[in-house]
Amino acid sequence: MAEMVKYFWTKSVADGTRIGLTTEGQDELGTIKFAKLPAVGDTVKKGENLLSVEADKAVSDIQSPVSGKVAAVNPALASDFDALNGSDTDAAWFVDVQEA
């Protein structure tokens, strides 16, 4: 499996760590058609599966870079995944994790 770290970014936000998709990730995966995301309140562990994405070029499981509880899921992804396919990488985020 390809090294996925360069495909994802993290940044500190008020409720923890935000995890999103980089432009390199968008290029490598192609258009994302589906993402299986955790729910708010789910516990995640660093190095374990956080989410899965299905795209034109690949289906990938993404490991969590941090341990904690999911504090937020990007509301823009509730109806479609356009936010993950656009040029605004700040909008291309999956979840916020409140570190344990």
Side-chain angles (χ1 to χ4, degrees):
M1 181 182 236
E3 179 58 53
M4 296 302 291
V5 173
K6 68 180 178 180
Y7 302 152
F8 298 91
W9 53 260
T10 60
K11 76 175 182 181
S12 293
V13 291
D15 56 2
T17 299
R18 178 160 287 177
I19 302 157
L21 183 65
T22 65
T23 52
E24 293 91 345
Q26 289 174 329
D27 291 346
E28 190 69 24
L29 295 168
T31 301
I32 293 178
K33 304 203 180 297
F34 180 77
K36 182 179 179 199
L37 302 167
V40 171
D42 283 357
T43 299
V44 298
K45 290 188 176 162
K46 183 176 181 177
E48 292 189 359
N49 196 41
L50 174 66
L51 56 98
S52 299
V53 293
E54 292 180 21
D56 284 343
K57 300 177 186 175
V59 175
S60 298
D61 290 328
I62 311 309
Q63 294 179 341
S64 181
V66 295
S67 294
K69 278 198 174 176
V70 176
V73 176
N74 187 343
L77 305 180
S79 57
D80 61 57
F81 301 100
D82 290 349
L84 299 177
N85 297 314
S87 58
D88 182 1
T89 54
D90 283 343
W93 63 279
F94 298 109
V95 296
D96 292 347
V97 176
Q98 178 72 51
E99 294 183 54

